[in-house]
Amino acid sequence: MTALKLLSRTKLYWGLIAIFLIGVLGSPMSSKGNNIFLSYGNLLDVLRQVSTTGLIATGMTAVIITGGIDLSVGSLMAICSVVCAMLLTVPGVTPGVVLGVPTVALVALCLGFVVTRFIFQNLAKSRAGPDATARDIRLDGVRGLVTPAVVGVVLCSLSLWYLLPQIGSKFGVLGVLLVAPCVGLLFGALNGFIIVAGRLQPFIVTLAMMVTALGIARLTAGQNNAVLPVYTGSNATADFEILRSLVFGVIPMPGLFFLGAILIYGAVLRFTPFGRYVYAIGGNEEAARLSGIAAGRVKIATYAISGLLAGIAAVLYVAQYRQGKPDAGAGLELDAIAAVVIGGTSLMGGRGSLIGTFCGVLIFGLLSNILQLHNINSNLQLVLKGMIIIGTVLVQERNVGDLLAYLRLPGGQSAHKETAAAKRPSQETPSLNLGGNKNETT
């Protein structure tokens, strides 16, 4: 591997290092002469601030790899923040309880059924041999219907047994960590189901869900509740403060959730069949279907996980800002998409990684922190962020040469030829990329 190729493959990490060095060298100094950017408190604040966007970007990555998009995550976070704040602060039957508790019961029922049936299918497939596909597996009535239904009912009953006694008082930390993510998961799964069953464009469906979810969040909060304050130890349980604390005095709790999501979901995408299916669908959905992949189910799962992570982000938002409000996630979907694209995930689908998204989120967070430390006007910050996003995507997609050639600037023609040559093999040999037969290409 040449040095140029190595530099090309690691350019994202060099970009992160460059942003960090800019922050270090250009940082203002405190009254004691210390570098403010490098201070432990400032770096902790960066990690804490990017954790909400990072969780949403984590779910968004898999959605974009499949060739989709999810514009509704900001509004889903708003719904979940309202439900979370209401459950924490208002006892009795409230709109948050009416929306949240039945959702948990439904999600538990469906998950129990789907997961149990999935396990039986995989056991049957392992017995049938490596050449068997999901279409070849036929489960009997007990394994295919009765047992999964019983498991679903048991999980549903257990969730209700745990949640119903909390309605009379106020919900605790574990209660809201169960309810809010389930609300997000349900709306996310609904997104995926409509996209798959209705064969509609993800942009249209999630745009409609963004508007719908915003209305539901406002209806849930009530006309007179633009903000639902949450004060731990006063109108909410004191245990909720743990979500704002430092774990072992080192890492903020929101950062731990973010890092955990990156590691777990990254391992799933890299080492499991589900991850391979996600990439295959993004590369060529029709070919994935013909190879026996249940593309519809995989896409529904990616949107459901995106909603789930939006629900977790909402709980952390309520803990950090001590409030839930119907516009809590306004514009957050755009920040998440920008971080994912900066991280090298292609909006065309089929290419990307969560380690890239992690770097993209940090680049976005460090950039914002640098601009704030220098007291840059907030409007100018938006302009600079937009320009950096465009420049980063041009570099990631290797389209700088095309831009220079279009503008007829020096170096544009040669760069354009190199870019075209790099793209030609992947365009001329689609069957190789999809695991096809070499003899099919000429």
Side-chain angles (χ1 to χ4, degrees):
M1 181 182 296
T2 64
L4 186 60
K5 288 184 178 179
L6 179 62
L7 181 63
S8 176
R9 292 188 178 184
T10 59
K11 57 191 173 185
L12 179 63
Y13 307 109
W14 289 110
L16 178 59
I17 293 172
I19 289 289
F20 188 83
L21 289 177
I22 291 172
V24 173
L25 298 176
S27 172
M29 297 295 177
S30 67
S31 58
K32 296 182 179 180
N34 297 324
N35 189 300
I36 296 178
F37 179 82
L38 277 180
S39 65
Y40 188 64
N42 182 66
L43 295 178
L44 282 183
D45 285 341
V46 171
L47 181 57
R48 187 187 299 273
Q49 290 169 6
V50 303
S51 296
T52 301
T53 304
L55 280 168
I56 292 181
T58 300
M60 185 76 72
T61 301
V63 171
I64 292 178
I65 290 175
T66 63
I69 199 76
D70 191 352
L71 299 178
S72 67
V73 284
S75 296
L76 296 189
M77 177 179 154
I79 290 180
C80 295
S81 75
V82 169
V83 170
C84 176
M86 193 167 286
L87 294 179
L88 285 168
T89 60
V90 184
V93 179
T94 62
V97 169
V98 173
L99 177 61
V101 174
T103 296
V104 175
L106 178 61
V107 169
L109 179 64
C110 294
L111 280 180
F113 183 89
V114 170
V115 172
T116 305
R117 185 178 173 86
F118 174 79
I119 293 173
F120 280 130
Q121 283 180 331
N122 278 270
L123 290 175
K125 184 178 179 180
S126 63
R127 295 192 188 100
D131 297 330
T133 64
R135 298 173 183 175
D136 301 327
I137 305 301
R138 296 290 183 271
L139 299 177
D140 55 47
V142 174
R143 294 181 300 167
L145 182 62
V146 176
T147 304
V150 170
V151 173
V153 170
V154 170
L155 287 179
C156 177
S157 302
L158 288 175
S159 64
L160 291 176
W161 172 79
Y162 176 71
L163 293 176
L164 289 178
Q166 300 185 53
I167 295 177
S169 55
K170 296 176 183 177
F171 279 64
V173 179
L174 294 180
V176 294
L177 279 174
L178 177 62
V179 175
C182 283
V183 172
L185 186 148
L186 179 64
F187 280 97
L190 185 60
N191 270 335
F193 178 78
I194 295 173
I195 290 168
V196 172
R199 297 183 180 180
L200 300 176
Q201 289 294 328
F203 181 90
I204 299 299
V205 174
T206 57
L207 179 63
M209 180 60 76
M210 178 178 71
V211 178
T212 304
L214 180 60
I216 295 175
R218 290 176 177 174
L219 290 172
T220 303
Q223 295 295 329
N224 299 322
N225 290 320
V227 175
L228 297 171
V230 177
Y231 303 117
T232 53
S234 176
N235 66 344
T237 175
D239 295 340
F240 194 64
E241 188 71 17
I242 192 173
L243 296 181
R244 302 183 73 251
S245 63
L246 294 177
V247 180
F248 303 117
V250 176
I251 182 172
M253 184 64 76
L256 191 64
F257 275 86
F258 173 40
L259 295 175
I262 285 285
L263 291 174
I264 295 172
Y265 207 10
V268 169
L269 291 179
R270 184 172 178 84
F271 300 113
T272 67
F274 174 81
R276 292 193 290 272
Y277 296 162
V278 167
Y279 283 96
I281 292 169
N284 190 319
E285 185 172 346
E286 185 60 29
R289 293 180 189 276
L290 294 176
S291 65
I293 296 174
R297 297 178 185 177
V298 174
K299 291 172 74 173
I300 292 173
T302 59
Y303 283 94
I305 294 171
S306 179
L308 173 72
L309 292 174
I312 296 175
V315 178
L316 298 176
Y317 173 90
V318 173
Q320 183 172 347
Y321 295 99
R322 301 182 186 276
Q323 63 182 7
K325 55 181 182 177
D327 60 346
L332 198 57
E333 63 280 345
L334 301 181
D335 289 345
I337 293 171
V340 172
V341 174
I342 287 174
T345 299
S346 173
L347 286 172
M348 301 301 293
R351 178 167 60 86
S353 68
L354 278 176
I355 187 63
T357 297
F358 178 72
C359 292
V361 169
L362 289 183
I363 288 174
F364 215 66
L366 290 173
L367 175 62
S368 298
N369 183 254
I370 292 170
L371 296 176
Q372 290 169 6
L373 288 178
H374 288 276
N375 295 318
I376 302 297
N377 181 278
S378 59
N379 295 321
L380 182 57
Q381 287 187 33
L382 295 176
V383 174
L384 292 175
K385 286 180 182 179
M387 294 173 63
I388 290 173
I389 289 170
I390 292 175
T392 305
V393 174
L394 282 172
V395 173
Q396 291 291 349
E397 297 293 336
R398 299 179 182 178
N399 289 336
V400 177
D402 295 339
L403 178 61
L404 295 177
Y406 184 80
L407 296 175
R408 298 181 180 179
L409 295 178
Q413 294 295 335
S414 59
H416 174 71
K417 291 178 181 179
E418 292 177 1
T419 302
K423 290 181 178 179
R424 191 176 300 120
S426 62
Q427 295 172 350
E428 293 177 353
T429 58
S431 61
L432 293 178
N433 294 334
L434 296 171
N437 190 338
K438 294 182 180 179
N439 297 325
E440 293 177 358
T441 61
T442 57

